[in-house]
């Protein structure tokens, strides 16, 4: 079935630093790809998505481009803030029935 | 999108007891899912809650341990039965909207079993 591999954390950055969290996928065809974010003590929120190859999803200053050549969907942000401290999950559909499979999650900590 | 609430938000339970978690959505949805997130881990799908029929469980999860109800299109419950400390986790409800694969999550129920 479809799967995702995410870079391990934790990632610790200073405020205003550039962020990249790597995500690569294995899939049949070209499924939609997602990034979810989980702030401390909360459930997951959909951060951004891309539904086809070469699409770029963006939200709250975060971006990710669906690259079929490298089967990647890396999450980037040009200047992180302390409020971006959270766990980030890459996800894609698997197994039918609208089910998603999630990566292992990458914890981001942004310090002043 | 959809707004999802869960009750309770957290609980501490004795081993051998059961806890029922409620999930309420502000609109009718076809698909509802229950996940477990063990401390510091990713999400594992427990089951898909089907309205009007038995839930569909993922490998490793059984109805006797995690009975699920789905009486209508806005509500579902998950029961964690005969709990042990290994059941200490965050339990998350999510909903899927027809036409895409997006899922929207509740805030989670943080369960500690002593």
């Amino acid at each position: 079935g479809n799967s995702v591999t995410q870079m391990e954390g934790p990632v610790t950055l200073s405020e205003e630093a550039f962020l990249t969290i790597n995500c690569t996928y294995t899939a049949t065809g070209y499924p939609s790809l997602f990034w979810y974010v989980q702030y401390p003590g909360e459930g997951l929120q959909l951060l951004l998505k891309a539904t086809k190859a070469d699409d770029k999803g963006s939200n709250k200053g975060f971006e990710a481009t669906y690259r079929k050549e490298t089967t990647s969907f890396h999450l980037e942000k040009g200047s992180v803030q302390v409020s971006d401290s959270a766990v980030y999950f890459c996800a894609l559909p698997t197994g039918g029935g609208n089910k998603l499979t999630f990566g292992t999650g990458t914890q981001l900590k942004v310090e002043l | 999108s959809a707004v999802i609430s869960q009750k309770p938000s957290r609980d501490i339970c004795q081993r051998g007891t059961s806890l029922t978690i409620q999930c309420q959505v502000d609109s009718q949805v076809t698909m509802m899912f229950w996940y477990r997130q063990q401390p510091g881990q990713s999400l594992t799908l427990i089951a898909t809650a089907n309205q009007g029929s038995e839930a569909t469980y993922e490998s490793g999860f059984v109805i006797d341990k995690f009975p699920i109800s789905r009486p209508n299109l806005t509500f579902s419950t998950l029961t964690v039965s005969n709990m042990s400390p290994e059941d200490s986790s965050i339990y998350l409800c999510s909903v899927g909207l027809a036409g895409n694969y997006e899922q929207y999550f509740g805030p989670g129920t943080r369960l500690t079993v002593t």
Side-chain angles (χ1 to χ4, degrees), chain B residues 44-60:
Chain B
T44 302
L45 181 63
I46 297 171
T48 303
N50 303 308
Q51 194 268 330
S53 65
E54 198 169 280
T56 305
Y57 289 84
E58 298 298 307
S59 176

Side-chain angles (χ1 to χ4, degrees), chain B residues 29-49:
Chain B
V29 294
T30 305
M31 291 156 285
M32 293 181 78
F33 305 94
W34 287 98
Y35 290 86
R36 181 173 72 184
Q37 185 179 25
Q38 294 178 305
Q41 303 295 315
S42 186
L43 282 73
T44 302
L45 181 63
I46 297 171
T48 303

Side-chain angles (χ1 to χ4, degrees), chain A residues 34-37 42-49 59 91 98-100 102, chain B residues 1-6 23-35 43 45 91-108:
Chain A
F34 303 91
W35 276 102
Y36 282 82
V37 58
E42 299 184 11
L44 276 72
Q45 300 176 24
L46 178 62
L47 180 60
L48 55 83
K49 68 176 182 180
N59 186 26
N98 274 52
K99 292 189 291 187
L100 295 176
F102 290 84
Chain B
S1 64
V3 177
I4 302 131
S5 59
Q6 283 185 237
C23 178
Q24 179 75 53
V25 189
D26 69 341
S27 57
Q28 293 186 338
V29 294
T30 305
M31 291 156 285
M32 293 181 78
F33 305 94
W34 287 98
Y35 290 86
L43 282 73
L45 181 63
Y91 291 86
L92 293 153
C93 167
S94 77
V95 303
L97 303 181
N100 61 54
Y101 285 92
E102 295 178 21
Q103 289 187 20
Y104 298 90
F105 285 80

